[in-house]
Amino acid sequence: MIRIDRTTCCYCGTCVAVCPQAALELVDACLEEQEGCSACGTCAKCCPVGALEVCHEGQV
Amino acid sequence: MKDRYDVLVVGGGPGGAVAAETAAARGLSVCLVEKRPAIGTPVRCAEGIGREALREFIDPDPAWIAAEIKEASVVAPDGTELVLNAKLAGNKVGCVLERKIFDRELVRRAADAGADIAVKTTATGPVMADGAVRGAHLTGAVPQVGADVVIVADGVESRFARMCGIDTTVPASGMMTCAQYLMTGIDIAPERTVFTVGNTIAPQGYLWIFPKGERTANVGIGISGQKSGPGHRAKDYLDRYVRSHFPDGRSIEFIAGGVPVCRPPPSTTADGLMLVGDAARVVDPFTGGGIYNAMFTGRLAAEVASDCIAHGDLSGKALAAYDKKWRESEMGRSLARNYKLREYFIRQTDDRFNRLIHSAAKIDLDEFSVPELIREFVVRNPALLADLTAFRAALS
Ligand SMILES: Cc1cc2nc3c(=O)[nH]c(=O)nc-3n(C[C@H](O)[C@H](O)[C@H](O)COP(=O)(O)OP(=O)(O)OC[C@H]3O[C@@H](n4cnc5c(N)ncnc54)[C@H](O)[C@@H]3O)c2cc1C
Ligand code: SF4
Ligand code: SF4
């Protein structure tokens, strides 16, 4: 699972392109997480502004 | 909007717009769907393009040209600036666009040519029949549209291609993660684009200043996704640069973005499907420029699609003529060369960058092009570039 900071996200789509599970989608100006995230962290690493954080099980 | 077309285009950027215009001008029924409510916004681009490259598609119009560019410079990590004057093209080498207006103009031209346009309409997945793509599911008024060919121009996200089974995932090392301010009130050379390199400034990428007026410019940065992380993201590097170089400038716009500089998938076609532009990962990996390549592949795909429709053969094999043609084109060959160039570039230390740029600081190039510049570097630095035999061969 990932945590999306919507006040920081600029809806640029970088994370969508690098996600190996195709688990992210930009619905207009709103990033949404679909099923299948493997918590690999690639999206969070590549985000130009730091709007993403991977949360592991148990974390909310 | 109908529920059946000869060609369905997914995405209203330059790639999709030129594809739709070309197909409609050839007499095909065409629909272009764009998920955003307004074409071209928010911009995800530094907006630079070569003047001749632009002219291949459209005559420059002051309505969407923000600045004419006459020279470029490369700044070494130690601050040495190498200015490249081009004698070529009456000294007008490039333009900085106003893409919000430019992109919309391209879509307007597609509409004028006869294409239907549906904004705020997302293609959510392919309609498949016998393993071939035969249209798309859409949000909006018409839930499903059938088409002989779907031209996919959905940009960096490239989700539609993935839903059709073509893996266009960009590895972190092949993603330039970018941030940019539109700044005003800054001291710049208004006809010069500036590229600054260096591992502490922009690791495995560069920082750019693209003028959009006397004291206004896109000031942005792209770094490799591999080098990005908490506290050292594109925005962190950009903020640091702006604080030290333009402390009194004002930012009137901020954008983030990703430029895919990985290699394209092994095939950019399948049964009933063609990928163009960023969706096909055909951005120039050295410069990060993708506007021209998107328009080039968009036009070529539409031409091949119209030939295939005329012959009644929409198999992946027939559509693959497009894949072959772009790879063999000058654009395709320059991509192939520039992957090697990028691999070389990202291995350089700051010390090497400094030495390279000092050695070349006095060149007056006749031709304003990457191979010409590299040839000069190679000529002037035989020892430095001795490891580049294969690379030299690629340029000759
Ligand atoms: C920071 C930055 C700076 C850049 N600077 C330059 C530069 O100076 N010069 C240059 O040449 N290039 C530059 N580029 C690259 C350039 O912006 C792209 O290569 C170019 O926009 C690609 O055009 P395209 O038509 O392929 O895709 P895009 O312009 O990205 O258009 C894709 C469109 O498809 C839409 N879409 C996506 N999914 C769907 C769907 N499922 N259904 C419907 N619509 C969909 C999107 O909303 C978007 O409008 C830069 C890129 C970035 C990020
Ligand atoms: S990469 Fe970051 S800024 Fe861009 S859409 Fe994803 S979360 Fe938002
Ligand atoms: S953590 Fe990995 S799998 Fe999960 S959304 Fe991010 S990139 Fe995709």
Side-chain angles (χ1 to χ4, degrees):
Chain A
M1 248 198 92
I2 51 157
R3 191 182 296 138
I4 305 166
D5 178 354
R6 297 201 185 282
T7 57
T8 305
C9 173
C10 299
Y11 27 93
C12 71
T14 304
C15 54
V16 177
V18 297
C19 173
Q21 308 297 332
L24 297 171
E25 182 181 0
L26 263 182
V27 179
D28 198 351
C30 186
L31 183 68
E32 291 192 354
E33 184 187 341
Q34 317 288 9
E35 276 168 32
C37 169
S38 65
C40 71
T42 314
C43 57
K45 181 174 169 60
C46 291
C47 173
V49 296
L52 298 175
E53 212 183 319
V54 179
C55 353
H56 295 280
E57 248 163 82
Q59 283 181 292
V60 185
Chain B
M1 190 169 162
K2 303 183 292 182
D3 60 7
R4 231 218 93 70
Y5 290 88
D6 295 328
V7 176
L8 174 67
V9 179
V10 176
V18 170
E21 183 193 358
T22 308
R26 289 187 158 219
L28 301 176
S29 67
V30 181
C31 181
L32 179 152
V33 295
E34 164 56 52
K35 74 173 174 181
R36 296 194 264 180
I39 302 287
T41 58
V43 174
R44 300 167 178 165
C45 192
E47 309 178 292
I49 188 168
R51 204 180 162 80
E52 290 313 305
L54 180 65
R55 272 183 181 285
E56 268 184 48
F57 294 90
I58 183 167
D59 283 331
D61 180 337
W64 40 258
I65 301 271
E68 302 269 7
I69 300 304
K70 294 186 177 168
E71 56 188 22
S73 75
V74 184
V75 179
D78 69 3
T80 310
E81 186 170 15
L82 162 64
V83 180
L84 307 162
N85 296 296
K87 293 175 188 153
L88 193 79
N91 267 352
K92 287 193 171 172
V93 294
C95 315
V96 179
L97 303 171
E98 200 62 72
R99 273 200 62 186
K100 284 173 194 150
I101 305 174
F102 176 74
D103 284 22
R104 201 167 55 199
E105 173 62 13
L106 292 181
V107 171
R108 192 190 64 76
R109 282 161 55 111
D112 277 0
D116 281 348
I117 312 290
V119 293
K120 198 135 174 77
T121 303
T122 304
T124 53
V127 173
M128 304 291 295
D130 302 328
V133 178
R134 287 287 172 257
H137 298 285
L138 305 177
T139 60
V142 181
Q144 181 173 328
V145 160
D148 287 341
V149 179
V150 179
I151 297 181
V152 182
D154 58 353
V156 65
E157 297 157 51
S158 191
R159 273 183 67 88
F160 196 89
R162 293 214 255 176
M163 290 186 281
C164 298
I166 298 185
D167 185 7
T168 54
T169 310
V170 181
S173 60
M175 176 60 84
M176 297 305 290
T177 149
C178 308
Q180 172 179 283
Y181 291 111
L182 174 58
M183 295 197 74
T184 192
I186 54 176
D187 287 326
I188 51 162
E191 296 183 326
R192 177 189 302 169
T193 50
V194 181
F195 302 82
T196 302
V197 296
N199 292 296
T200 55
I201 296 165
Q204 301 193 355
Y206 62 83
L207 185 139
W208 63 81
I209 302 172
F210 285 7
K212 294 189 81 174
E214 286 296 316
R215 291 172 59 75
T216 304
N218 285 331
V219 180
I221 197 166
I223 66 169
S224 164
Q226 213 167 13
K227 294 283 175 186
S228 168
H232 51 98
R233 299 180 184 281
K235 184 168 186 295
D236 300 319
Y237 285 100
L238 179 62
D239 284 339
R240 197 178 314 149
Y241 182 90
V242 163
R243 264 197 307 275
S244 68
H245 288 74
F246 301 122
D248 301 323
R250 311 274 155 78
S251 301
I252 55 174
E253 190 173 287
F254 174 74
I255 63 152
V259 182
V261 293
C262 58
R263 288 177 189 261
S267 172
T268 55
T269 55
D271 290 336
L273 184 76
M274 305 168 107
L275 309 186
V276 308
D278 279 19
R281 312 308 187 203
V282 293
V283 177
D284 184 305
F286 190 61
T287 63
I291 305 169
Y292 173 82
N293 295 4
M295 295 195 290
F296 179 84
T297 49
R299 181 171 64 191
L300 190 62
E303 286 169 356
V304 171
S306 98
D307 291 346
C308 291
I309 289 171
H311 294 112
D313 182 358
L314 300 156
S315 63
K317 208 172 156 204
L319 294 178
Y322 155 71
D323 190 271
K324 187 162 182 281
K325 279 186 181 175
W326 77 251
R327 285 181 209 266
E328 286 172 357
S329 70
E330 200 179 314
M331 182 213 85
R333 291 199 312 271
S334 121
L335 282 186
R337 183 191 69 224
N338 286 356
Y339 295 116
K340 293 179 200 153
L341 198 50
R342 177 176 152 76
E343 277 157 31
Y344 173 72
F345 174 80
I346 64 176
R347 286 200 313 269
Q348 301 311 304
T349 60
D350 282 7
D351 184 44
R352 267 198 165 194
F353 277 133
N354 288 334
R355 279 153 67 198
L356 270 168
I357 289 169
H358 293 175
S359 78
K362 292 158 208 87
I363 303 176
D364 191 12
L365 289 171
D366 287 334
E367 200 191 314
F368 188 77
S369 69
V370 171
E372 186 69 15
L373 181 59
I374 301 308
R375 242 190 305 272
E376 286 294 334
F377 278 143
V378 175
V379 168
R380 277 151 209 267
N381 299 275
L384 201 63
L385 301 185
D387 55 331
L388 280 182
T389 323
F391 180 65
R392 247 192 265 194
L395 292 174
S396 57

